[in-house]
Amino acid sequence: MLQLLAVHLLAALVAPALVAWIGRKAFWVLALAPASATVWALSLTGRVMDGDGPTQTVEWIPGLGLDLSFRLDTLSWLMTLLVGGVGAVVLVYCSAYFKAHASGLGRFSGVLVAFAGAMLGLVTADDTLLLFVFWELTTVFSYLLIGHYHERKASRRAAMQAIVVTTAGGLTMLVGVILLGEAAGTYRLSETLADPPHGGMVTAAVVCLLVGAASKSALIPLHFWLPAAMAAPTPVSAYLHAAAMVKAGVYLVARFAPAYSELPAWRTIVVVLGCGTLLLGGYRALRQHDLKLILAFGTVSQLGLIILLVGYGTKATALAGLALIGAHAMFKAALFLVVGVVDAATGTRDLRRLSGVGRALPLTAAAGGLATLSMIGAPPFAGYVAKEAAL
């Protein structure tokens, strides 16, 4: 696993020089980094399903008891497939999305690959302190990606808003990580969840963890940063806000739910925030005219539903939640990419000004139609399977 992280790091470092050398074709080469993570996870499918996923531990900071510990189980396997697979597709898409002489492509490509590596580390980390390190790395990289168009005031404001909200949530989460680690006597994630501690301090720790998840996954009342982040380039919206960054909070909730879902504080927070975000996001989506904002508020709504499912604590809801994580990442990322094509072809994302796009872009319309059918839960698409399981 360290080798895969090293591949991402190397790709991020050479990205600016590679873009300067071969231009937009560099995105195809850089896509090999997240694609390698997907291939690696697929090659281990049998072992993971048998409960014999690989682990790796390297001593890092002995004085703090901090190790580079990684573990691939069913949940991290699914998240690795999404982070790597969608990341590779988005990087390939970037090769055609940006103009040949667009400024800042070298920096953008490097940060995007680095973000993919940080997400890979986050979902495979088996040490809560290490998980927090990767958590904060995704915050920093997302800030740089959202603010890519730094000459635009809206982009700068959206990037600053995102980093303030998610950093505040991350620091609260750090308090929870430390409290939980001290109560358990270990910061090893698998050991903590195998024999979870309980008590007043642990309840406080769990609440802090949920605050961190709420900030990352744009749950109410911290949902506002996600629609504002649509000022970022469309590939960023597709990756960070449909498949990767916002799923970090979902991953955290899904990881700790088997151990702490019976706590009244956990159940109350998950149900209230999940249902509230589901309803508010759906309502706000119906009032938008910008295609990206419609998808953004729809994402907020779906994140509320996913958090409710994975955090509720029963096996049935957890399985439905995992199915919806995968389906949502695929259909929402596809729809964001379709919006990018429409925007580039027509010069607008305003629904009131768009007419006849399907006739002009039949392949794009077909892709968007299929993704929409999955999103609304029409059979036989993945969205139907996931939402039927949820019901």
Side-chain angles (χ1 to χ4, degrees):
M1 301 180 200
L2 275 174
Q3 292 86 339
L4 282 173
L5 294 176
V7 168
H8 283 79
L9 175 60
L10 179 62
L13 292 176
V14 303
L18 197 60
V19 170
W21 181 31
I22 59 175
R24 294 179 298 172
K25 294 180 181 178
F27 284 105
W28 285 82
V29 179
L30 297 173
L32 295 175
S36 66
T38 302
V39 173
W40 171 73
L42 287 174
S43 68
L44 295 168
T45 300
R47 288 182 57 184
V48 172
M49 296 303 129
D50 292 337
D52 184 33
T55 60
Q56 184 178 18
T57 300
V58 177
E59 195 176 74
W60 187 19
I61 309 177
L64 297 177
L66 182 56
D67 296 328
L68 298 175
S69 299
F70 300 93
R71 179 170 174 262
L72 191 70
D73 61 4
T74 305
L75 178 58
S76 55
W77 172 83
L78 172 63
M79 295 301 296
T80 298
L81 289 180
L82 295 180
V83 170
V86 177
V89 171
V90 168
L91 280 166
V92 171
Y93 178 91
C94 286
S95 66
Y97 176 81
F98 290 103
K99 295 181 179 179
H101 301 291
S103 62
L105 281 192
R107 180 185 69 252
F108 176 87
S109 60
V111 175
L112 188 57
V113 174
F115 177 86
M119 275 301 302
L120 176 62
L122 190 156
V123 300
T124 57
D126 194 32
D127 185 284
T128 51
L129 289 174
L130 182 63
L131 185 151
F132 173 76
V133 170
F134 284 116
W135 184 281
E136 289 304 290
L137 283 175
T138 62
T139 297
V140 174
F141 293 140
S142 67
Y143 166 76
L144 296 173
L145 290 170
I146 294 170
H148 173 66
Y149 296 127
H150 54 83
E151 70 280 1
R152 302 177 185 176
K153 184 177 180 180
S155 294
R156 297 196 303 270
R157 181 180 298 170
M160 186 60 67
Q161 188 178 75
I163 196 170
V164 168
V165 172
T166 54
T167 299
L171 292 176
T172 307
M173 172 188 158
L174 177 60
V175 174
V177 165
I178 294 173
L179 290 177
L180 187 61
E182 293 302 310
T186 178
Y187 286 90
R188 188 63 58 84
L189 186 56
S190 55
E191 295 177 1
T192 301
L193 297 179
D195 185 21
H198 291 278
M201 185 169 73
V202 172
T203 300
V206 166
V207 171
C208 290
L209 292 175
L210 288 176
V211 171
S215 69
K216 205 77 159 180
S217 289
L219 303 184
I220 58 170
L222 304 174
H223 64 285
F224 53 86
W225 72 263
L226 180 59
M230 292 302 109
T234 296
V236 175
S237 302
Y239 192 34
L240 273 68
H241 308 135
M245 180 179 171
V246 293
K247 292 297 195 307
V250 172
Y251 169 78
L252 190 71
V253 171
R255 179 61 75 191
F256 283 94
Y260 294 111
S261 61
E262 295 301 320
L263 288 178
W266 175 286
R267 184 65 59 87
T268 300
I269 292 173
V270 165
V271 171
V272 171
L273 296 189
C275 290
T277 305
L278 169 65
L279 296 173
L280 179 64
Y283 170 73
R284 292 293 303 276
L286 293 173
R287 299 174 60 85
Q288 306 302 318
H289 300 292
D290 186 304
L291 286 175
K292 282 182 73 173
L293 286 180
I294 293 173
L295 294 179
F297 280 107
T299 297
V300 170
S301 178
Q302 289 294 284
L303 288 171
L305 176 59
I306 295 172
I307 288 286
L308 179 64
L309 291 172
V310 300
Y312 195 73
T314 67
K315 182 178 180 181
T317 56
L319 291 175
L322 292 180
L324 191 54
I325 288 173
H328 177 265
M330 291 187 288
F331 64 65
K332 191 57 68 72
L335 286 171
F336 271 116
L337 298 182
V338 165
V339 168
V341 174
V342 172
D343 190 14
T346 65
T348 182
R349 300 194 303 263
D350 192 332
L351 277 175
R352 297 166 296 184
R353 298 177 58 193
L354 291 171
S355 179
V357 179
R359 292 188 295 273
L361 304 171
L363 292 180
T364 302
L370 293 175
T372 302
L373 287 172
S374 182
M375 181 171 67
I376 65 177
F381 298 96
Y384 165 75
V385 176
K387 296 189 177 186
E388 182 70 11
L391 292 174

